[in-house]
Structure formats: structure tokens, C-alpha cells
Amino acid sequence: MMLDEENKRRPTAHEIGCDLSAISADELRARIALLNAEISRINDEIVRKELGRKAADNLFGPKV
């Protein structure tokens, strides 16, 4: 790949707080999709951790 082509490539990630004025509407939509996918991934991990914690609490919780 030529050096000029590398400089023209846009990053695929989104940096929180970055300047959005030079980004096309299509690219902004792509970034929204990327961020929504990341939010979903994070929410899935939260659920996984909470289920693991509940299982541990049930296994090792106080016995009456």
C-alpha cells in the first residue's frame, strides 16, 4: 500500500470527544453502529458477570 493511501484511510474506531465536523453522515452512522455493538457487548459481559456472582453466592452463601 502506498504511503498516501495509508494517510487517507480513516480509523475504524471512534474516539470519544473527537471532532465530528469533517466526518460524513454515512461514517457517523457507521460509528453509531460500532458504538451500539460495543454497548451490547459490554451489557452481555455485565449479565455474564452478574450470573456468575449469583451462582457463587448461591453456592457459598450463608447456610441456615
Side-chain angles (χ1 to χ4, degrees):
M1 186 181 299
M2 297 183 72
L3 198 53
D4 288 337
E5 288 176 318
E6 289 180 27
N7 290 336
K8 290 179 184 178
R9 291 179 62 196
R10 291 185 187 212
T12 57
H14 178 76
E15 182 180 330
I16 303 298
C18 69
D19 180 21
L20 303 176
S21 62
I23 301 171
S24 71
D26 286 340
E27 178 63 24
L28 290 171
R29 286 185 194 94
R31 289 182 184 211
I32 288 171
L34 177 73
L35 291 168
N36 282 332
E38 184 65 2
I39 289 167
S40 179
R41 188 178 78 88
I42 291 169
N43 281 328
D44 290 346
E45 185 64 16
I46 289 170
V47 168
R48 188 186 72 75
K49 288 179 184 283
E50 288 174 342
L51 288 173
R53 177 60 180 222
K54 286 179 186 176
D57 287 345
N58 288 334
L59 184 60
F60 299 111
K63 306 286 188 223
V64 178

